[in-house]
Amino acid sequence: MVNHQHTLAKPVSSTGIGVHSGNIVNLTLLPAPANHGIRFVRTDLPGRPGVTAHFNNVVDTSLATVIGAEGCIVSTVEHLMAGFSGMSIDNAIVEVDAYELPIMDGSAGPFTELIQSAGILRQEEGSKCYFKVNTPITLAENGKSVTVYPADQFRITCTIVYNHPLIGTQTCDFVVTPEIFRKEICTARTFGFLHEVEMMKRYGLGRGGSLENALVIDTDRVLNEGGLRFADEFVRHKALDLIGDFSLIGMPIMGHVVTHCSGHAFNHAFLEKFFSQKESWETCTLVSDALQAGGKK
């Protein structure tokens, strides 16, 4: 846990393909002042409208996490947001010239490398605030669940269950630090089943999808050359998605998040439950490694 906010040391750009549109997307990450947060700006629209990365601005979670406000829509933000959160970036401006972010290789690895290439700047004027969980908060429904327990760090335990011989039941457990995020989480790729990919393409979706930006699974094998990056890459990617989705709460959580069969929609529903249960948490900063309680929001 750190006591100061961070931003990028300099602007940095990249180009990739939109997984659903199939169009080329240009992306630029820029520094932002303390207490700014993460804000997306659509450079392809008149007036360059923007939207702040916050769960109140989530407008769709069916295929990816989509945020929108005042005529500005940005889709598939979860992998970049996971990169910002995992690398402890609090403030940045994201310029993009399309409605969806580039999918890159299907993980947060390229975004993490982009952040590292920009450099990370400590902002002495900005104290970092946390949501400190004091009593458990749970959302459970139809075999899915998310619970956050009190803890003195951000820890995630993620379990998935698939009726498929290559996946089955997988669980991962991480205390999320920049080092662990870089080495163990950020390169885990999104995945899909071959019959689902074929169906999506028939309906005009996933036009930019390929074996270059997703794990594709047939009945008994992974179709990607080189196979898996981790034996449990599937659940690691779900943990990556969770980090990205939970970053939309606006401040990092000091707590242990335990999930079972959750996804974008259920993660978002949990964030709404989290904010409705204000008696279970408080805001705080870290000063000389000691907790300083703040007011509830």
Side-chain angles (χ1 to χ4, degrees), residues 24-261:
I24 297 298
V25 183
N26 297 299
L27 176 78
T28 299
L29 312 181
L30 302 103
N35 303 313
H36 176 278
I38 309 296
R39 185 167 176 82
F40 290 81
V41 176
R42 288 281 301 275
T43 61
D44 59 316
L45 297 179
R48 294 166 54 96
V51 54
T52 298
H54 193 270
F55 83 97
N56 283 335
N57 290 328
V58 171
V59 295
D60 187 21
T61 54
S62 54
L63 295 174
T65 298
V66 184
I67 57 175
E70 301 178 1
C72 175
I73 297 289
V74 183
S75 177
T76 323
V77 302
E78 60 271 18
H79 297 168
L80 176 57
M81 290 302 299
F84 282 142
S85 178
M87 297 302 292
S88 197
I89 297 294
D90 305 281
N91 306 298
I93 298 169
V94 181
E95 294 184 344
V96 61
D97 65 354
Y99 76 89
E100 64 177 335
L101 295 189
I103 191 63
M104 310 308 273
D105 72 346
S107 78
F111 292 128
T112 303
E113 291 177 2
L114 200 60
I115 291 167
Q116 288 184 283
S117 71
I120 298 173
L121 180 65
R122 173 168 157 156
Q123 296 175 292
E124 300 292 342
E125 69 277 21
S127 294
K128 189 153 184 158
C129 294
Y130 296 85
F131 288 110
K132 180 178 180 291
V133 177
N134 295 320
T135 57
I137 305 171
T138 298
L139 181 66
E141 183 178 315
N142 298 325
K144 302 177 181 180
S145 66
V146 178
T147 302
V148 59
Y149 298 95
D152 58 2
Q153 56 203 346
F154 180 41
R155 176 182 171 190
I156 55 175
T157 303
C158 183
T159 298
I160 60 173
V161 180
Y162 282 83
N163 184 22
H164 191 283
L166 295 182
I167 306 178
T169 299
Q170 296 185 356
T171 298
C172 66
D173 184 283
F174 298 105
V175 173
V176 183
T177 66
E179 182 178 9
I180 290 174
F181 181 77
R182 286 196 311 269
K183 292 182 177 179
E184 305 290 343
I185 302 172
C186 78
T187 57
R189 293 163 291 178
T190 191
F191 61 92
F193 300 98
L194 181 60
H195 67 276
E196 293 177 339
V197 173
E198 293 171 340
M199 182 180 68
M200 287 177 65
K201 289 187 179 293
R202 283 200 299 270
Y203 283 93
L205 300 170
R207 294 174 181 173
S210 71
L211 294 176
E212 299 299 317
N213 51 44
L215 281 171
V216 180
I217 312 159
D218 204 348
T219 54
D220 59 354
R221 65 190 179 103
V222 174
L223 299 184
N224 304 68
E225 185 177 352
L228 299 174
R229 292 175 176 173
F230 307 95
D232 59 350
E233 186 170 359
F234 306 104
V235 72
R236 291 188 192 220
H237 184 78
K238 289 296 186 179
L240 187 159
D241 279 345
L242 184 147
I243 292 169
D245 288 341
F246 270 54
S247 73
L248 295 175
I249 202 169
M251 299 191 308
I253 290 178
M254 190 179 296
H256 180 192
V257 179
V258 179
T259 74
H260 183 84
C261 299

